[in-house]
Amino acid sequence: MMKSVLLWGLLFTSGFGLSAQTDSLTYSPNKVHQFSFVPLPAIASNPANGWMFGLAPSASWYMGNPKDTKLSNLVGNLLYTTKKQWILSSRHTIFLSGNKTILVGDWRYFITSQPTFGLGSSTPNELQSNPNQPGVFWGEQQMDFRLFRFYESLLKKINDSPFYLGVGYHLDIHSRIENFQELTGLPQLYSHDAYNLSKGFDLDRYTLSGISLNAVMEKRDMAVSPYERNFAWIQYKINPEFLGSSQSSSTLLLDYRHYFTLNPLRKRHLLAVWGMGNFLVSGNLPYMNLPAIGWDMFGRSGRGYAQGRFRGENMVYGEAEWRFPLQKQKDTFGATVFVNAASFSGAKPESAAGPTLEQERLFEKINPGYGLGLRLMINKQKRTTITADYAFGQKGNSGFYLNINETF
């Protein structure tokens, strides 16, 4: 189990973030308003990367009149590890003036490593032979790889409704993929290699390039840390070979979030629920592009498990979180209690050369997680919040999570 511990300079960060804030007192067209920048210093450690040092900045601002324009947000990471690895990312949700257009982006460049455990919800923690695939490993298998990601979507508002339609472009390039594990006994294939051989993908490099059709309902009062209402997102992604994909495929993403106010006088006291489904509709995906825990846009799903702990051709995920203030009047300090659950399918058998893959269906096994956390709000107006959570999963899996803004 890969555990991560993030240690941030909270006192330094809180003070610096507030002093770095610049607010516009009056509205002027064609001007960015109430810009706030929080340059969080970060120190992190986990077995896969060693120690990591760098910055985890966050910015929020208004692209129009705050009276009719939602708050835009950007979060990033710039981290270097003692194993000479780099983790760079930038993710944003930008609302243009009057909320008429939304830009959603996810840009990453990783030189990193991560364990994989095989496909489906039943994979064990320890390395062993897969009883359903003779000659193939099951359990923790370390991988080195590089990832270049460029996702950008543009959504246009439909009249005065909360509904948006739009298109996006999505590019993932995985390269320099290497499996490493001390091999004992008879020669066996890694899960990654066995799957890619059965589907006809290269073992060390592959590309997924495609366009998406997106439908969004945006009713949240604030996208960064909502107090009320709901959000829905349907994305159908088409990855044709003529756009550069290693093989043609299509996927469907369903994402719904609802926020129930429990106390109208203290809107920070609420119940938040999140449901997500990610499905392979046609064709084949490379191994590292299959739906996996912790690989949503902000990497927030599956607290209690390491990123990539579960992976499969189809994924269903649900989470509920009770958020509440810890002070009678102020909103500076808060807490949360949460539960989550995920289920993954295996892979469809192929007639092509290579190991036979055993199909595991959705909901044959469910992997739950649960935990609690503390909240420190460093900017009440923009709800900029530092979150610290500890979560538990099954079979000894657990993790500590320190982030900027609410989990969802």
Side-chain angles (χ1 to χ4, degrees):
M1 165 62 188
M2 181 181 70
K3 297 182 181 179
S4 62
V5 180
L6 302 183
L7 304 176
W8 309 62
L10 295 180
L11 296 178
F12 169 80
T13 300
S14 300
F16 192 91
L18 293 174
S19 65
Q21 178 179 321
T22 302
D23 290 341
S24 300
L25 299 179
T26 58
Y27 170 69
S28 300
N30 303 317
K31 183 179 179 181
V32 173
H33 295 270
Q34 299 183 18
F35 180 82
S36 177
F37 177 69
V38 183
L40 287 172
I43 301 175
S45 176
N46 64 53
N49 301 100
W51 284 93
M52 297 181 285
F53 305 90
L55 295 173
S58 174
S60 57
W61 69 96
Y62 290 98
M63 294 295 293
N65 191 335
K67 294 181 179 180
D68 63 4
T69 304
K70 292 182 181 291
L71 188 70
S72 297
N73 178 257
L74 179 148
V75 293
N77 286 293
L78 174 57
L79 302 171
Y80 182 72
T81 82
T82 53
K83 294 187 178 181
K84 300 181 180 180
Q85 299 169 342
W86 287 94
I87 298 175
L88 295 87
S89 68
S90 175
R91 286 155 287 189
H92 59 261
T93 303
I94 300 173
F95 295 88
L96 300 187
S97 182
N99 300 324
K100 295 180 180 179
T101 302
I102 305 177
L103 300 174
V104 181
D106 181 359
W107 308 347
R108 309 185 194 188
Y109 182 66
F110 291 172
I111 304 175
T112 188
S113 59
Q114 186 177 100
T116 185
F117 296 79
L119 301 184
S121 300
S122 302
T123 54
N125 290 335
E126 300 79 14
L127 183 68
Q128 57 188 266
S129 295
N130 187 339
N132 300 317
Q133 292 178 260
V136 178
F137 277 123
W138 224 17
E140 184 174 355
Q141 305 153 61
Q142 292 292 333
M143 297 176 61
D144 282 340
F145 63 93
R146 297 191 179 189
L147 168 64
F148 174 80
R149 170 171 291 184
F150 178 80
Y151 290 3
E152 192 69 40
S153 298
L154 184 148
L155 307 167
K156 298 292 292 185
K157 192 172 187 179
I158 303 175
N159 300 323
D160 294 326
S161 73
F163 297 99
Y164 294 79
L165 293 176
V167 297
Y169 175 71
H170 308 269
L171 173 66
D172 278 327
I173 301 175
H174 285 88
S175 61
R176 301 192 182 185
I177 303 168
E178 294 184 11
N179 296 278
F180 58 96
Q181 198 79 40
E182 183 178 351
L183 304 181
T184 58
L186 296 175
Q188 299 190 75
L189 283 172
Y190 297 101
S191 297
H192 171 272
D193 294 355
Y195 173 87
N196 276 7
L197 285 172
S198 73
K199 301 295 184 180
F201 290 103
D202 290 339
L203 301 185
D204 61 349
R205 180 185 175 91
Y206 35 76
T207 300
L208 193 68
S209 174
I211 58 174
S212 67
L213 306 176
N214 299 270
V216 167
M217 178 186 69
E218 177 59 271
K219 290 185 176 181
R220 295 173 294 184
D221 58 328
M222 186 176 290
V224 173
S225 296
Y227 283 169
E228 55 187 340
R229 297 191 287 275
N230 53 359
F231 167 86
W233 180 22
I234 301 174
Q235 180 184 78
Y236 183 65
K237 191 183 298 184
I238 305 168
N239 310 298
E241 289 189 42
F242 68 79
L243 282 182
S245 293
S246 298
Q247 293 186 31
S248 295
S249 63
S250 63
T251 60
L252 177 65
L253 174 68
L254 307 174
D255 191 319
Y256 181 76
R257 310 174 187 202
H258 205 117
Y259 306 88
F260 300 91
T261 300
L262 301 180
N263 185 345
L265 300 180
R266 296 296 302 278
K267 289 190 175 182
R268 196 179 179 189
H269 190 191
L270 62 110
L271 176 66
V273 296
W274 178 18
M276 179 173 58
N278 200 350
F279 309 99
L280 175 62
V281 177
S282 65
N284 296 312
L285 290 172
Y287 187 90
M288 293 297 288
N289 287 112
L290 292 169
I293 204 76
W295 276 97
D296 52 286
M297 178 175 173
F298 290 98
R300 301 298 181 88
S301 62
R303 281 175 292 178
Y305 298 96
Q307 185 184 56
R309 175 59 184 85
F310 298 106
R311 187 183 304 272
E313 288 192 343
N314 301 290
M315 166 188 175
V316 173
Y317 179 79
E319 182 162 353
E321 184 171 83
W322 174 34
R323 303 172 186 170
F324 51 93
L326 292 176
Q327 298 164 287
K328 290 184 177 180
Q329 301 296 331
K330 298 181 179 180
D331 286 327
T332 305
F333 296 99
T336 182
V337 177
F338 56 88
V339 294
N340 61 60
S343 182
F344 291 80
S345 68
K348 297 187 295 292
E350 293 285 340
S351 58
T356 300
L357 299 176
E358 183 75 14
Q359 173 75 20
E360 181 180 356
R361 299 181 183 276
L362 281 173
F363 305 115
E364 282 189 16
K365 181 173 176 56
I366 296 175
N367 296 287
Y370 61 94
L372 49 82
L374 296 175
R375 301 291 181 261
L376 172 63
M377 187 177 292
I378 60 176
N379 187 316
K380 183 177 180 181
Q381 182 183 11
K382 297 180 176 65
R383 301 181 195 168
T384 305
T385 304
I386 295 173
T387 66
D389 300 318
Y390 199 90
F392 301 87
Q394 287 186 318
K395 298 180 180 179
N397 289 279
S398 64
F400 178 70
Y401 305 82
L402 193 53
N403 289 298
I404 189 73
N405 296 327
E406 294 290 354
T407 300
F408 64 94

